[in-house]
Amino acid sequence: MTAVAGFAAAGFASAGDGGVAAQAAMDDLGMIIAVTAGLGLLVAILGVAVMWWLRTRSIGVMLAIVMVVAIAATLAGVVAITLKMIIDGPVRDIVLSVVAVGGLVGLGVAYVLARRVVGESRRLVAAVRDLPFTAPRGLPAELQTIANTLEEAYARERALEGARRELVAWVSHDLRTPLAGMRAMAEALEDGVVADPHTVARYHAQIKLEVERLSAMVDDLFELSRIHAGALRLSPSKIGLADLVADTLAGAEPLARAKGVRLSAEAAEAVPVTADAGALSRALGNLVVNAIRHTPSDQTVVLRAAVDAGMACLSVTDCCGGIPEEDLPRVFDVAFRGETARTPTLDGGAGLGLAIAQGIVEAHDGVIGVVNDGPGCRFEIRLPLVT
């Protein structure tokens, strides 16, 4: 019995030593993790500080810093393990050698990647400097996205520049023609070439008409410049489209009567929107005036106000004979009047009405479009309904 008791006591003592050893190993592991995490955090902070200091340098430098930070953090962990005597002798040398080789491999890969990124960036810069700009192909995804965006922006800028040149050319023509006529009539009145009261009165009336046309043209140019500059100021309020249609018809009636065009309205009741009544009335009025100018006598221009697909819809349908399909995307471009309408009629404008209408509608978070419909075309304005 004494021998059995001694054996049991020895067994319990051995189990207690194993528990103490396991606890010591856990303590060492916790300390290693804490030291490694602390050193890694310190290295990361230093790396971020260096990257911030060199933020304007090459992308290659940034990639090299990233690799150095990763290797330094790994070495910090290995050093922590070595200091705790967990690995020693040949094993330690092997671990350090593996880490060193891995770091050199990482730096080599980072160098190759940095050279490619820098080279592709320089290729993109060279393409930007070489106008007309065409996006190079085969770039990394992010650089390719930037290149494609630049190409689209350059194409838009060229289109806008072309529109500006057309606008200057056409407005210059539209200004020169009435000014030349007014100068001739004023000189005739001044020199006494025209003396009979009837002709003098006709000249005065014609000069007044041309001045009104020029004033309207200048107003359109000013309004368009505000739209393009983002300086259009709206005073939105809740309005009904039926009232807007009625007011627009009343304002366009004299022009329609003089042209021999009939006006018709189909307005649904209670179509509320939040809009600047004056600005939206001008946009709709521009569409109606455009429709009247291009509709033959004894034909009808129809205005409609209704709810369609959850949107408030204003439409103007004319009998202009339709717009060529290739011209439809350009209808709202500045100064676009179509190949057959570049010389304005007596009641024509500078081709700014539709561009102004588009700017006003888009300022209301709406959309405007045009489609061919029957004997003519249909312009549509879609606005959010009041909820």
Side-chain angles (χ1 to χ4, degrees), residues 7-34:
F7 181 77
F12 281 123
S14 179
D17 292 341
V20 172
Q23 183 61 41
M26 290 297 295
D27 291 341
D28 290 341
L29 178 61
M31 183 175 293
I32 291 171
I33 292 175

Side-chain angles (χ1 to χ4, degrees), residues 166 170 323 327 330-339 350-351 354:
E166 286 185 347
W170 293 357
I323 300 173
D327 286 345
R330 298 190 58 203
V331 166
F332 295 99
D333 289 353
V334 174
F336 180 75
R337 289 180 290 201
E339 294 295 330
L354 297 182

Side-chain angles (χ1 to χ4, degrees), residues 116-193:
R116 179 168 186 263
V117 172
V118 172
E120 299 295 355
S121 300
R122 290 175 178 171
R123 188 156 68 98
L124 177 57
V125 171
V128 171
R129 291 175 177 172
D130 185 18
L131 297 178
F133 173 73
T134 301
R137 304 302 172 190
L139 299 175
E142 291 78 7
L143 293 180
Q144 190 66 59
T145 300
I146 294 173
N148 294 338
T149 303
L150 288 175
E151 186 175 36
E152 294 172 1
Y154 179 74
R156 287 195 300 269
E157 182 62 27
R158 290 190 64 185
L160 288 174
E161 183 61 27
R164 292 190 193 101
R165 291 179 180 177
E166 286 185 347
L167 176 61
V168 171
W170 293 357
V171 170
S172 299
H173 175 270
D174 291 355
L175 291 174
R176 190 184 306 113
T177 301
L179 285 174
M182 286 191 294
R183 181 184 296 111
M185 288 184 285
E187 290 175 352
L189 293 173
E190 183 181 6
D191 296 339
V193 175

Side-chain angles (χ1 to χ4, degrees), residues 249-263 285-286 288-294 345-348:
L249 281 180
E253 182 63 34
L255 178 61
R257 189 184 310 112
K259 185 74 182 298
V261 174
R262 295 184 295 271
L263 294 178
N286 287 354
V288 174
V289 169
N290 180 75
I292 293 173
R293 286 174 176 167
H294 293 87
T345 59
L346 291 178
D347 60 348

Side-chain angles (χ1 to χ4, degrees), residues 269-295:
E269 295 295 332
V271 183
V273 296
T274 299
D276 185 311
L280 190 57
S281 177
R282 177 166 189 177
L284 183 61
N286 287 354
L287 298 184
V288 174
V289 169
N290 180 75
I292 293 173
R293 286 174 176 167
H294 293 87
T295 296

